[in-house]
Amino acid sequence: MPPTLRVMVRKPLVVPEPPAVPQPSAALRKLVDKALGPHRMVADMSRDAKALGAVLVRDPKLAKAMEASIVALAHGLAALGPLENIASKSLRRTAHERKHQLEMAMWALRLTSAAHDTTFARLAVDVGDNEIRGLIAECLRGEKMKAPPRATKAVAALLDVSTNVFALRAAFDALYELGVKKAHARWAKILRAGKPTLLVEIVLDQIDERERDQTPWAPLAFPLTVGRDFAIARAARRLIQHDASSFLAYLDWLTRTRERDTLKTGLTAVTQGLYWATLSDGTLKGRVGPPLLALRARGSDRGMKTEVAELDRALAKLGFAAARRPIGLTLGAKIKTVGTGGGAPLLVPAEIAPAWLGAFGPQPFDSGKSDYERAAKLASLPALLTIGKGKGLVLDGTQCTVHAERDGFLLHASGDPEEANPKRWKKLGVLAVGKSGLLLLDSALAGAGKTKRAEREPIATPAGRYTILAHRPGGFGTDFAAVRLVRPKAE
């Protein structure tokens, strides 16, 4: 017998209906349409949610019907998977509209009765670990509309079932409300483990926001400052820089460590954070000299020339040592300068520039899915970013000056060229440039458009594959930030 053929029929994707109440009056329909319609300002969202909530609180049957409609919508949206992965543009737009409507309907009901919080907390667990759970948890967290959660136990329980960042933040907030000692015990356990990354970051933020005396937490943060995870290290260093006693204890911890990698990374962390630490506490400058010099001596004994040289510059700026003559850099002729409205500059091959939509797409600004927000989310700048069928270079700072060099050009972002150090130039990648050259622009702008001299400048350059070398700032020790684009000698 021939084998049986199975034909798989894919069901068409269907976006669920918006929240609704049965047989609404004309006045109620107007309130519902206004609350669930588009909004640009949080103040308008709050006003419209409160207006709808004021009507629902007077009619429990309508409120119950709206609650059931919200539950159905949440499950329907969760079943679609990540909304950004919906292939159809119209369906994707509709799904995002439903997501906003879900949020607004939840706000309206949360303002009517505490019982709805319990329902929504259970719903956050039931819909699975996805962006809809995160939205529900953020609504329960209440930060946007100043309405804290009342189902705190149910929200705190999300800690054990979720990996969604918004759900976890809401859960940690609820845990703290349930009891400071319980929250502290959970924090300590996570910091000692040093993982998962997301939990460690949130705990460090919680300590930074909630604890007046952060000194007891500093020893748990010390090892995290020298770890390989950039986000955790940055958050841990920020915590230590905010308190003079913690910073001094950190210097002592580094001086006594036997681990070479810990000492080397810690020296860089101290150099980068020293300026901010002295700003946080004006008394630190008068106390930090001896432990810094002891740390410098330890690094020098271990042969860490680059790290010690950068620390020397920081010490010189504080008046603790004579400044060494910087190696320095002489900039070539100035070609162009581009400034931005606050975002990062973008260098992009002109052929693929129209694929860059800036703050205008592919999703609206504040959705987290615009091209401009993609650039803003990069953990470390400068960095390469995919644009259409090629790549562009997101630069550091808010302005960039292009200088000519013999084998390419240099883009100066900030800092004193005298603090350039040949050992700090690191290869970042390769940028393919076509016959139309390059475009330097404010990353908030779209790549296609009319030239504005202050925000968008073309750069004529031969076609080829350019090697990218980045000189990142080293904090208080060296503030110079720049990028070189170097043509291969054969081109």
Side-chain angles (χ1 to χ4, degrees):
M1 290 181 63
T4 303
L5 291 177
R6 283 190 173 185
V7 179
M8 301 297 291
V9 179
R10 294 185 66 181
K11 293 182 179 180
L13 198 63
V14 178
V15 177
E17 293 298 312
V21 291
Q23 300 177 346
S25 64
L28 179 57
R29 167 54 61 194
K30 187 175 181 180
L31 280 175
V32 171
D33 289 345
K34 194 171 185 182
L36 303 190
H39 293 90
R40 291 185 178 272
M41 304 291 290
V42 172
D44 295 337
M45 293 171 66
S46 179
R47 178 200 64 206
D48 294 339
K50 287 178 180 177
L52 178 57
V55 173
L56 294 175
V57 75
R58 296 195 296 267
D59 193 330
K61 287 186 177 180
L62 282 180
K64 198 67 179 175
M66 177 68 86
E67 182 185 86
S69 182
I70 288 172
V71 171
L73 175 58
H75 282 290
L77 286 173
L80 297 176
L83 303 188
E84 287 306 311
N85 292 350
I86 298 175
S88 167
K89 188 175 181 180
S90 61
L91 286 179
R92 188 167 63 248
R93 186 186 304 115
T94 302
H96 279 287
E97 288 173 0
R98 295 288 185 271
K99 186 177 174 182
H100 169 74
Q101 291 164 349
L102 173 65
E103 180 183 20
M104 289 301 297
M106 285 183 63
W107 277 119
L109 279 182
R110 284 205 62 219
L111 297 170
T112 68
S113 169
H116 296 300
D117 278 19
T118 303
T119 299
F120 296 147
R122 286 198 302 265
L123 178 62
V125 174
D126 293 342
V127 295
D129 206 16
N130 51 48
E131 62 185 291
I132 303 305
R133 171 182 280 175
L135 175 68
I136 297 168
E138 276 290 273
C139 289
L140 287 170
R141 189 183 188 198
E143 190 176 49
K144 188 182 291 184
M145 298 206 185
K146 311 301 180 186
R150 290 158 288 196
T152 47
K153 286 187 178 180
V155 177
L158 291 173
L159 268 179
D160 299 316
V161 297
S162 185
T163 59
N164 180 277
V165 60
F166 299 110
L168 289 172
R169 284 175 181 163
F172 272 110
D173 286 346
L175 181 67
Y176 199 87
E177 295 301 319
L178 289 173
V180 175
K181 287 186 177 180
K182 285 186 177 180
H184 282 182
R186 191 69 175 257
W187 292 356
K189 183 178 179 181
I190 291 168
L191 292 181
R192 288 192 182 101
K195 57 184 180 181
T197 298
L198 183 56
L199 292 187
V200 176
E201 285 186 71
I202 295 175
V203 167
L204 290 170
D205 287 341
Q206 289 262 314
I207 294 170
D208 201 23
E209 293 169 8
R210 293 182 177 276
E211 300 297 295
R212 288 186 178 180
D213 181 12
Q214 298 173 1
T215 309
W217 298 99
L220 291 176
F222 292 167
L224 302 177
T225 65
V226 294
R228 293 184 179 181
D229 190 292
F230 174 80
I232 289 179
R234 179 176 56 186
R237 292 174 188 181
R238 184 171 64 244
L239 183 70
I240 291 166
Q241 291 164 16
H242 287 181
D243 178 76
S245 298
S246 297
F247 192 78
L248 290 168
Y250 183 58
L251 297 180
D252 180 63
W253 178 77
L254 281 176
T255 303
R256 289 185 290 104
T257 185
R258 296 181 179 181
E259 296 291 334
R260 179 180 174 82
D261 288 345
T262 296
L263 178 60
K264 187 174 183 178
T265 306
L267 275 167
T268 299
V270 167
T271 301
Q272 292 176 348
L274 181 57
Y275 175 69
W276 301 106
T278 54
L279 279 185
S280 298
D281 189 328
T283 69
L284 180 61
K285 187 174 179 180
R287 294 184 283 162
V288 79
L292 272 177
L293 292 173
L295 180 62
R296 181 201 180 281
R298 187 74 192 280
S300 183
D301 290 343
R302 301 294 295 273
M304 299 172 185
K305 294 182 180 179
T306 300
E307 290 75 21
V308 169
E310 290 176 0
L311 182 58
D312 279 342
R313 293 188 180 100
L315 287 166
K317 290 177 182 179
L318 291 174
F320 292 121
R324 292 189 175 186
R325 180 70 179 171
I327 299 170
L329 173 71
T330 301
L331 297 178
K334 184 189 295 186
I335 300 175
K336 300 282 177 67
T337 296
V338 164
T340 75
L346 173 70
L347 185 71
V348 58
E351 283 87 350
I352 62 170
W356 181 259
L357 303 181
F360 307 99
Q363 294 295 327
F365 180 70
D366 270 349
S367 67
K369 303 295 183 180
S370 68
D371 281 343
Y372 175 65
E373 288 166 292
R374 277 205 301 141
K377 288 178 182 177
L378 293 169
S380 179
L381 296 178
L384 287 166
L385 187 69
T386 299
I387 300 174
K389 295 182 178 179
K391 289 187 180 294
L393 183 64
V394 184
L395 302 168
D396 195 13
T398 57
Q399 70 171 17
C400 179
T401 301
V402 185
H403 296 267
E405 291 199 318
R406 182 188 301 176
D407 53 355
F409 49 90
L410 179 143
L411 298 100
H412 180 206
S414 61
D416 189 341
E418 285 192 350
E419 292 192 340
N421 186 332
K423 294 182 179 181
R424 291 196 67 87
W425 291 102
K426 304 295 181 184
K427 184 175 179 180
L428 193 64
V430 174
L431 189 66
V433 181
K435 295 180 180 178
S436 300
L438 290 157
L439 181 66
L440 180 63
L441 74 159
D442 183 340
S443 58
L445 301 178
K450 295 181 179 179
T451 297
K452 296 181 180 179
R453 292 194 62 84
E455 300 170 335
R456 181 200 310 264
E457 285 281 5
I459 301 173
T461 187
R465 291 174 62 80
Y466 286 72
T467 300
I468 305 167
L469 300 175
H471 190 296
R472 291 189 169 96
F476 202 34
T478 170
D479 302 325
F480 184 65
V483 169
R484 274 186 167 131
L485 266 72
V486 182
R487 285 192 303 271
K489 292 182 180 180
E491 294 187 26

